[in-house]
Amino acid sequence: MSKPHKIGLAIFGLGRAGMIHIQNAVRNPRVCLKWIVEEDLEKAIKIRNDCFLTDSVQILKADDSKKAFQDKSVEVVIVCTPTAYHSDIILAALKEGKAVFCEKPIAIEEEVVRTCYAAARECGKLLYCALNRRYDPSMREIYTRVKSGEIGQVRSIKTTSRDHPQPSTAFLKISGGIFHDCATHDMDMICWIMGEAPSTIVCQAHSFIPEISALNDVDQVGIMMKFPSGAIAQIDLNRNAYYGYDQRLEVFGSKGMLQTVNQYPTSVSINNERGLCNGAIQRSFPTRYKDSYILEFEHFLNVLQGFEASLDVTEEQCLLVTRLAEACEESLKSGKLINFKMD
């Protein structure tokens, strides 16, 4: 029996998502981090030290990234840069025979998404779009139980996704806007559970926060989608919930309802003269979705090493959420309901 080897890895970008993925990679016994590609060298050095990594993990700026791509010991490239740089890194990595784990979205432009997946097929390497919420244990259980028929015919789905804390202006400038950055998670979750694309979509939104308005973006969004089966989905998005990171999902069917509620850092509660108090909910996405980030990376590695047959997120599903984000933008701009159909 051959001795298992560690998978060589390079990570591009140490922003919000990059910080999560580098920590998960360092803790994972199946991989060996070889390269960090980050423009802020001081930040990269600090993170390397904080993770107790040696100088054998080399740090580069993007202009020198060719060294990482050409390293034969690197089998996987993790892409966590701003979205505008995703496709160039993906295509360069695939050209050198690397599998790619990319934070969503692959790209905002549909044609670019298709180009990246075509390149992956041509070289026979994995390209994974990291829609992590599918791997949240609570949400995956809802998916499994809906598919088992436990609540009968699905008639409505509601999601609430309210950010906390408000993302920095620097991040918002490169985020691609609330529909591509936030709504894609909810729309993917809903379509994944439904097993179909919607037939119509309508969106209304407003900007209450001056800094976000100045970026020509919005911070409060309502989206409604109707599916060919008749089910109706509602999405409530907000960029800053004062009380914490508010994440809820409800699926109502002909035989019952399934729902997830907000999570707390601990299970400690107090009963006193004011009644029962559970404390504050989780404060941000890295803590609320900690397990999902770990589990999606394990899934990717399992497919890479042949322990699972195929990636859960397909090209068609990736294109679907890109198209839906575009439809939201169109509906908001026109004030009209959009008839939706995938080619």
Side-chain angles (χ1 to χ4, degrees), residues 206-223:
H206 186 75
S207 181
F208 289 93
I209 302 170
E211 307 94 275
I212 293 178
S213 179
L215 298 173
N216 198 30
D217 202 357
V218 291
D219 51 74
Q220 176 63 56
V221 175
I223 300 167

Side-chain angles (χ1 to χ4, degrees), residues 157-162 178-179 182-183 186-187 190 200-208 217-225 232-239 324-325 327-333 335-338:
I157 301 182
K158 298 177 182 178
T159 67
T160 297
S161 294
R162 296 174 182 153
I178 196 168
F179 299 112
C182 295
D186 297 78
M187 294 187 291
I190 289 168
T200 61
I201 183 167
V202 65
C203 172
Q204 290 196 320
H206 186 75
S207 181
F208 289 93
D217 202 357
V218 291
D219 51 74
Q220 176 63 56
V221 175
I223 300 167
M224 183 174 287
M225 301 187 292
I232 294 174
Q234 300 173 59
I235 299 171
D236 175 3
L237 300 177
N238 188 279
R239 275 297 193 186
L324 288 171
C328 286
E329 292 173 333
E330 181 183 351
S331 176
L332 179 61
K333 185 177 181 179
K336 296 178 180 179
L337 180 145
I338 305 300

Side-chain angles (χ1 to χ4, degrees), residues 73 110 112 125 127 150 157 175 201 251 301 331 335:
S73 71
E110 183 179 337
V112 177
K125 294 297 178 179
L127 171 56
E150 182 176 351
I157 301 182
S175 69
I201 183 167
V251 185
L301 294 177
S331 176

Side-chain angles (χ1 to χ4, degrees), residues 107-128:
I108 291 177
E109 303 83 2
E110 183 179 337
E111 193 55 43
V112 177
V113 175
R114 293 186 184 278
T115 297
C116 289
Y117 275 101
R121 284 192 297 273
E122 184 177 347
C123 69
K125 294 297 178 179
L126 297 179
L127 171 56
Y128 175 71

Side-chain angles (χ1 to χ4, degrees), residues 163-165 244-245 281-290:
D163 235 339
H164 182 92
Y245 191 65
I281 61 175
Q282 292 282 10
R283 306 305 288 175
S284 64
F285 73 94
T287 52
R288 168 59 184 86
Y289 287 112
K290 179 180 178 180

Side-chain angles (χ1 to χ4, degrees), residues 26-276:
V26 168
R27 296 185 184 113
N28 194 305
R30 300 162 71 178
V31 304
C32 177
L33 183 62
K34 302 278 189 175
W35 300 89
I36 297 171
V37 183
E38 166 61 43
E39 293 305 291
D40 187 339
L41 296 182
E42 185 176 339
K43 178 181 181 180
I45 291 169
K46 182 180 185 304
I47 292 169
R48 183 174 65 182
N49 292 338
D50 289 346
C51 292
F52 295 94
L53 299 170
T54 67
D55 291 347
S56 63
V57 178
Q58 299 185 64
I59 297 172
L60 301 170
K61 284 192 172 186
D63 287 345
D64 295 321
S65 60
K66 188 176 182 180
K67 297 175 183 177
F69 288 128
Q70 294 181 341
D71 184 345
K72 299 299 183 184
S73 71
V74 172
E75 298 176 60
V76 171
V77 169
I78 297 181
V79 183
C80 305
T81 61
T83 303
Y85 302 103
H86 283 188
S87 60
D88 287 344
I89 299 169
I90 290 168
L91 294 172
L94 292 171
K95 184 179 179 181
E96 294 294 337
K98 320 298 185 188
V100 179
F101 178 105
C102 183
E103 262 302 313
K104 65 87 197 161
I106 297 294
I108 291 177
E109 303 83 2
E110 183 179 337
E111 193 55 43
V112 177
V113 175
R114 293 186 184 278
T115 297
C116 289
Y117 275 101
R121 284 192 297 273
E122 184 177 347
C123 69
K125 294 297 178 179
L126 297 179
L127 171 56
Y128 175 71
C129 179
L131 289 160
N132 68 293
R133 293 186 191 178
R134 293 187 182 200
Y135 301 91
D136 175 74
S138 295
M139 294 187 178
R140 184 159 283 261
E141 182 174 341
I142 284 185
Y143 168 83
T144 301
R145 292 171 71 172
V146 167
K147 294 304 179 185
S148 75
E150 182 176 351
I151 62 169
Q153 181 189 49
V154 175
R155 296 185 174 172
S156 76
I157 301 182
K158 298 177 182 178
T159 67
T160 297
S161 294
R162 296 174 182 153
D163 235 339
H164 182 92
Q166 179 182 320
S168 68
T169 301
F171 170 77
L172 292 171
K173 286 179 178 179
I174 61 171
S175 69
I178 196 168
F179 299 112
H180 288 278
D181 180 46
C182 295
T184 47
H185 280 298
D186 297 78
M187 294 187 291
D188 174 69
M189 180 65 55
I190 289 168
C191 293
W192 180 53
I193 291 171
M194 289 300 305
E196 60 180 345
S199 52
T200 61
I201 183 167
V202 65
C203 172
Q204 290 196 320
H206 186 75
S207 181
F208 289 93
I209 302 170
E211 307 94 275
I212 293 178
S213 179
L215 298 173
N216 198 30
D217 202 357
V218 291
D219 51 74
Q220 176 63 56
V221 175
I223 300 167
M224 183 174 287
M225 301 187 292
K226 186 172 182 180
F227 289 81
S229 62
I232 294 174
Q234 300 173 59
I235 299 171
D236 175 3
L237 300 177
N238 188 279
R239 275 297 193 186
N240 187 20
Y242 181 76
Y243 50 88
Y245 191 65
D246 189 355
Q247 301 286 296
R248 288 170 280 153
L249 168 66
E250 174 190 295
V251 185
F252 171 76
S254 58
K255 295 181 181 179
M257 180 180 75
L258 292 163
Q259 63 180 339
T260 63
V261 296
N262 280 314
Q263 296 182 4
Y264 297 84
T266 75
S267 61
V268 176
S269 62
I270 184 171
N271 286 274
N272 56 24
E273 70 277 4
R274 293 178 295 174
L276 172 65

